[in-house]
């Protein structure tokens, strides 16, 4: 079924949005690895091109949102600054390549890690430092909170078409582990480079990484990197058990 015919069918029969025709079969993994109901997985994959567009728009917004932080960070560290926009770019590329039947396991793993980690880290800091974020309009606060949680939903779509081979997961661990290292522990240039949080003031263009704000932000990031690592490897193991190539 070509893309045009499939689109016409979805328009003519809205119920098909929740069906699994021409979608990757479920691998019958344990529920803790596939927390989304199957109908939601099907819906997300059936409207994958729309999800791609939304994520590309979100990526553009994210780079704009990080504009001030770019201005105070050394240029050489810019690739490690816009964490959420890079994650939404990863998932957009992952879904697009899958739809084009050119799925890339490295992008799939990076997208899973990024959407799971940043999709949970941002709501975490928004709650932990809620009083410090009081300067945000309630609409922006809720937009940031819920749009990032939507990234977690996207992360769990990937297991339907990705294999999570060990080498791809290893690459994602290295990328996000290195991000944690330079963001919180061993900055390569200047001070740590994690996303700005209002609990850490800026004096003369330099972020003051004060306790306990810095430690709380770091703990959330490290725990989520480890969580993504465990879930990705566990998904791989369960797929191998079930004979998924």
């Amino acid at each position: 079924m070509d893309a045009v015919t499939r689109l016409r069918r979805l328009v003519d029969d809205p119920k098909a949005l929740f069906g699994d025709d021409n979608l990757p079969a479920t691998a019958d993994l344990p529920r803790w690895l596939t927390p989304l109901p199957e109908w939601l997985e099907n819906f997300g994959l059936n409207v994958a091109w729309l999800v791609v567009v939304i994520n590309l728009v979100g990526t553009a917004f994210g780079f704009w949102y990080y504009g001030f932080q770019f201005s105070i960070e050394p240029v050489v560290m810019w690739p490690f600054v816009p964490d959420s926009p890079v994650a939404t770019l990863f998932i957009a590329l992952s879904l697009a390549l899958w739809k084009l039947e050119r799925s890339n396991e490295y992008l799939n793993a990076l997208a899973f890690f990024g959407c799971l980690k940043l999709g949970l880290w941002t709501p975490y800091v928004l709650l932990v430092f809620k009083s410090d974020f009081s300067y945000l309009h309630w609409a922006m606060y809720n937009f940031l909170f819920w749009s990032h949680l939507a990234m977690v939903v996207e992360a769990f779509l990937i297991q339907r078409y990705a294999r999570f081979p060990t080498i791809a997961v290893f690459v994602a661990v290295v990328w996000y582990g290195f991000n944690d290292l330079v963001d919180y522990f061993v900055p390569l240039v200047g001070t740590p480079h994690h996303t700005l949080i209002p609990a850490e003031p800026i004096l003369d263009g330099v972020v003051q990484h004060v306790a306990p704000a810095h430690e709380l932000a770091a703990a959330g990031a490290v725990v989520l990197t480890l969580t993504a690592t465990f879930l990705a490897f566990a998904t791989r193991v369960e797929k191998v058990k079930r004979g998924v190539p």
Side-chain angles (χ1 to χ4, degrees), residues 39 97 99 105 153 170 201:
W39 66 264
L97 288 177
K99 288 293 291 181
E105 293 294 349
V153 175
F170 177 74

Side-chain angles (χ1 to χ4, degrees), residues 88-187:
T88 53
L89 180 60
F90 282 154
I91 185 64
L93 293 174
S94 171
L95 284 168
L97 288 177
W98 166 67
K99 288 293 291 181
L100 295 171
E101 299 183 354
R102 303 181 70 176
S103 186
N104 183 288
E105 293 294 349
Y106 295 100
L107 268 174
N108 296 340
L110 288 166
F112 177 78
F113 271 68
C115 285
L116 182 65
K117 176 181 178 179
L118 281 307
L120 290 174
W121 183 85
T122 300
Y124 162 75
V125 296
L126 284 170
L127 290 175
V128 170
F129 306 111
K130 187 173 183 178
S131 61
D132 298 289
F133 280 102
S134 60
Y135 71 94
L136 287 176
H137 188 279
W138 66 268
M140 176 60 78
Y141 183 93
N142 277 277
F143 169 73
L144 292 173
F145 189 93
W146 296 108
S147 64
H148 280 82
L149 285 182
M151 292 169 63
V152 181
V153 175
E154 293 178 320
F156 286 105
L157 294 177
I158 298 171
Q159 56 82 23
R160 281 283 289 270
Y161 60 84
R163 297 183 295 111
F164 291 114
T166 300
I167 184 61
V169 176
F170 177 74
V171 168
V173 171
V174 170
W175 173 256
Y176 281 101
F178 185 72
N179 264 263
D180 287 344
L181 193 66
V182 301
D183 279 356
Y184 301 101
F185 305 106
V186 187

